[in-house]
Structures are given as structure tokens and as C-alpha cells.
Amino acid sequence: MRVIQEKVSPEFKKWVDYCEKNKRNQLGTYEKPESYKQNAGKGNYTVFADLYNKKTGINVQGQPWCDCFTDTVFIHLFGVEKAQKLLGGFSAYTPTSAGYFKNMKRYEQKEPREGDLIFFHNGTRIYHTGYVYRVHDGIVYTIEGNTSSKTVLENEGGCVAYKQYPLAWTDGKRRIDGYGRPDYTLVETYTEGFLRAADGKRWWYQYQDGSYASNGWAWLNEKTGGTSGWYLFDKAGYMLTGFQKAPDGRNFFLCTEGIHEGQCMVTNDQGELILAEYDTALKKYRI
């Protein structure tokens, strides 16, 4: 499923090396996080718990956060309603999260796939989780929160890190318990158009094939008002507004509000609005 490779795995990967902080006031936000390793500590304070609390009402700030991390990424990508359907429910307690998948009959024991959530057992209960981004040659590759880059399983390492395990991994009483499999068909049916980002403020544009505009200009239709124009997107896929420098180094002004929000208003290199003829065949302004 393309949504896994194009949206879910990249979103998890971008958080690798993020470290928890000692204090709440050392945090940024999910959209604008603080430096990943600055003020790294052992207080279990993360941007994930902040967004998780805002979206679900569940406050786990200052607590172990491997489960909160995975849930929050899904919430950011798909919104609260769809994330809840994908995960079966919200809980920062790993036995409960695994139970959601079991209740949906979407819990696998032996055959992981990219996009699954992995759950570990310590001999007493399920106690740690992460995201599967690759399975190859008998090895399952994961991205886990509240761990470290050490080769051993660590559920209190304080950072987001890549890990890997043999499919039949055990260590004393510890073992891989199984894999929760979100039903990605719930988010594979795409309606082309502008979609509001998870922060409720910004916009991104999704095409019919599930891909989205990013890192440059795109000629698009705003279906609500029936207008068309050039829109500029950053590397993460968010539509830009206001004065912006395009990839070619030239300055442009993008409408900041209303039905034309994000549309290009042509400016010169000093940021002054200018008149320009639009070539509909080439879909570009003649400046």
C-alpha cells in the first residue's frame, strides 16, 4: 500500500534521534520541535505527549512514551477519527494497545509487514512497542520510541531509534509477542484536493493516487471556489503563504487568507507585487 511507503514510514523515520527532555518547558511542538538532542534528559517529556493530550484528552506527559509515540504519529497523519479506527483505540499502556488489535482480529504472531506495530513481552506482560518499517531476510527492522540505538532491546532509553531483531527473537523471558496490523484500506481511498493538516491551521494537497504536492510549485484547482493557480509547498508537503522564496531563489507573495489562500501573487525580487501575463498553455507567468 502506497500510503505506508509514502506517508507512514517516512513520518516515523523523520523522528529518529529525537530525545526526551527533563522539563516540560524545554519542549517545542510536534510541528516545530526543539532540537532533537538539546536538553536530552530522563524526564519523559516529549512533543508526542503534548499533541496526544490535545487530541485525545489522555495526559501521559512525564511517563514512558513508546506507545504514545506510535499513536501520535498516526493521529498527526490521519486525524483522530481515522487514527482511532486504524489502531482500534487510544492507550499509552501497551497491553491495552495490543488488545485493541486482538479485538479487531488484526494481531499477527509470526509474519510482520511494513506498517505493522510490533509488541514485546517481558514474561509477565506486553511492555514495549514500535513501528515496523522493513522486513527482510529473517530480520524485522523497527523504529521505536523511548529506547536507544543499542543492539539490545531497551524500553527506557529515552530516544527514538532504529532497531532490528531476528523474527524469532528471544532474550531470557523477553520475546516478540506479535504484530498489530492497522487496516490501511481505511486511508487508501483518496479524494483529490486540499486537506487540512492535523494542526487545524495549515493545508496540504492530496492527489487521487494518494501522493501529495511537496517541495516546490504545483498548478492546482481549489474546488470549493472553483479557482486555479500556482501553489508553493515545503519539503514536508505543507502549503506556504505570505512572502516566500521559491526554489529558484526568486521572491513571491502567496495569498494569506480567504478562498485564494496560498495562490501565487506575482512579485519582483524585492517582494513588490507586479503585473504579469499568464501563459495558460505553459502554465507559467511571463515575467
Side-chain angles (χ1 to χ4, degrees), residues 106-122:
R106 301 193 63 82
Y107 197 78
E108 304 291 333
Q109 297 292 143
K110 297 181 179 180
E111 297 182 359
R113 299 193 302 226
E114 181 180 1
D116 287 353
L117 299 186
I118 187 171
F119 290 92
F120 297 89
H121 203 285
N122 63 6

Side-chain angles (χ1 to χ4, degrees), residues 112-185:
R113 299 193 302 226
E114 181 180 1
D116 287 353
L117 299 186
I118 187 171
F119 290 92
F120 297 89
H121 203 285
N122 63 6
T124 301
R125 66 171 178 85
I126 290 174
Y127 75 117
H128 185 59
T129 189
Y131 173 78
V132 176
Y133 72 93
R134 187 185 186 207
V135 181
H136 178 70
D137 200 21
I139 303 294
V140 55
Y141 297 84
T142 67
I143 298 168
E144 300 166 26
N146 203 23
T147 188
S148 75
S149 58
K150 295 179 180 179
T151 56
V152 298
L153 175 64
E154 186 172 8
N155 66 314
E156 282 292 337
C159 295
V160 179
Y162 289 118
K163 310 287 279 191
Q164 64 184 69
Y165 311 89
L167 291 176
W169 178 84
T170 61
D171 179 14
K173 294 184 179 180
R174 299 188 301 175
R175 57 180 170 81
I176 296 173
D177 186 81
Y179 306 90
R181 181 158 298 161
D183 183 4
Y184 289 105
T185 62

Side-chain angles (χ1 to χ4, degrees), residues 17-180:
D17 291 333
Y18 177 87
C19 295
E20 67 184 54
K21 314 303 176 185
N22 278 321
K23 299 179 181 178
R24 171 68 184 81
N25 62 11
Q26 294 171 333
L27 299 177
T29 65
Y30 189 103
E31 292 79 14
K32 293 183 179 180
E34 68 288 352
S35 175
Y36 279 13
K37 295 186 178 181
Q38 183 178 354
N39 296 318
K42 297 182 179 179
N44 283 318
Y45 286 94
T46 70
V47 295
F48 313 118
D50 259 8
L51 185 60
Y52 194 61
N53 187 24
K54 290 175 183 177
K55 297 295 185 179
T56 70
I58 301 172
N59 185 9
V60 291
Q61 193 65 274
Q63 300 178 30
W65 49 277
C66 62
D67 202 334
C68 170
F69 166 58
T70 55
D71 283 9
T72 302
V73 171
F74 278 88
I75 290 170
H76 170 77
L77 287 174
F78 304 112
V80 173
E81 183 177 348
K82 287 187 177 179
Q84 189 169 22
K85 291 179 179 178
L86 288 166
L87 300 169
F90 297 127
S91 173
Y93 186 54
T94 50
T96 301
S97 293
Y100 289 145
F101 285 107
K102 293 175 181 177
N103 291 339
M104 295 190 295
K105 300 188 185 305
R106 301 193 63 82
Y107 197 78
E108 304 291 333
Q109 297 292 143
K110 297 181 179 180
E111 297 182 359
R113 299 193 302 226
E114 181 180 1
D116 287 353
L117 299 186
I118 187 171
F119 290 92
F120 297 89
H121 203 285
N122 63 6
T124 301
R125 66 171 178 85
I126 290 174
Y127 75 117
H128 185 59
T129 189
Y131 173 78
V132 176
Y133 72 93
R134 187 185 186 207
V135 181
H136 178 70
D137 200 21
I139 303 294
V140 55
Y141 297 84
T142 67
I143 298 168
E144 300 166 26
N146 203 23
T147 188
S148 75
S149 58
K150 295 179 180 179
T151 56
V152 298
L153 175 64
E154 186 172 8
N155 66 314
E156 282 292 337
C159 295
V160 179
Y162 289 118
K163 310 287 279 191
Q164 64 184 69
Y165 311 89
L167 291 176
W169 178 84
T170 61
D171 179 14
K173 294 184 179 180
R174 299 188 301 175
R175 57 180 170 81
I176 296 173
D177 186 81
Y179 306 90

